[in-house]
Amino acid sequence: MKNSTTSKYNSNLISASIELGYNHRTDDLSNGDHLILQPNAQVIYGHLSTKEYEDMDSGLRVASNKKNNVQTRLGMKVFYIPKDSNFRPYVEGNWIYNSSDMGVNFNDKFTFSSNAPKSRYEVKLGVEGELSKEWSLWGNVSYQFGKDKYKGYKAMLGAKYTW
């Protein structure tokens, strides 16, 4: 029977964000619907708090390669607002910039990180709306692309109940 040991490695990520935006309603379209143009900007600061870890029995060393990151996002969202519906489809475009690529390094040989370029672009299609006074839903799909053939896909669904 093998001897086994238990090791623990803890890390914490603290982040703070500020987001600004403005809704501009267009004139009604010929069918009575309208658009909302929403330019927006966001700044997110992240700090990774971790200590280096070394397991003497196995020789495993774990360390963070970066401790701080500032992510900025500058974009435009365009909502289509139908006059007879509680749901609003939208299209969104963003430019995203990260000051660093935080990750975890194992034995100075393997690093796990997002591998996303510092500067990348995002296109998003989505819908949001209210089912009732209490229930709202949203969902979107997005595609990110950037330098060195970087690409990423994401889908999100959400629901909120208010009482």
Side-chain angles (χ1 to χ4, degrees):
M1 190 160 132
K2 287 186 174 181
N3 290 337
S4 65
T5 60
T6 302
S7 299
K8 291 184 179 184
Y9 174 75
N10 293 318
S11 64
N12 296 298
L13 177 64
I14 297 170
S15 63
S17 173
I18 186 167
E19 185 172 358
L20 303 169
Y22 174 78
N23 288 337
H24 174 74
R25 185 183 194 273
T26 65
D27 293 335
D28 285 351
L29 303 171
S30 60
N31 62 0
D33 298 347
H34 64 276
L35 301 176
I36 291 181
L37 308 176
Q38 185 187 76
N40 54 68
Q42 182 179 28
V43 177
I44 304 169
Y45 170 76
H47 174 75
L48 181 63
S49 173
T50 184
K51 295 180 181 174
E52 288 192 16
Y53 169 80
E54 186 169 357
D55 183 79
M56 296 301 180
D57 294 334
S58 68
L60 176 66
R61 286 188 321 280
V62 181
S64 169
N65 66 347
K66 299 278 192 295
K67 301 280 186 190
N68 299 295
N69 182 52
V70 176
Q71 182 182 81
T72 57
R73 179 180 55 80
L74 187 61
M76 174 69 80
K77 188 185 277 190
V78 179
F79 288 95
Y80 178 76
I81 311 295
K83 66 178 178 180
D84 296 325
S85 175
N86 291 332
F87 284 87
R88 299 169 298 280
Y90 66 87
V91 61
E92 183 176 0
N94 293 302
W95 170 56
I96 300 167
Y97 179 81
N98 283 295
S99 64
S100 69
D101 187 18
M102 294 195 304
V104 178
N105 184 292
F106 295 88
N107 289 356
D108 297 323
K109 292 182 182 179
F110 305 103
T111 299
F112 292 93
S113 66
S114 70
N115 283 334
K118 284 188 172 190
S119 186
R120 60 190 186 275
Y121 305 93
E122 177 181 59
V123 177
K124 189 182 292 186
L125 297 173
V127 66
E128 57 186 49
E130 291 78 34
L131 288 176
S132 67
K133 182 180 166 188
E134 296 86 14
W135 283 100
S136 60
L137 300 173
W138 66 91
N140 65 56
V141 293
S142 66
Y143 171 68
Q144 289 187 0
F145 58 96
K147 187 176 170 184
D148 298 326
K149 298 182 182 179
Y150 171 81
K151 59 185 174 182
Y153 303 92
K154 183 168 51 172
M156 292 182 64
L157 292 173
K160 181 171 78 170
Y161 180 78
T162 306
W163 64 93

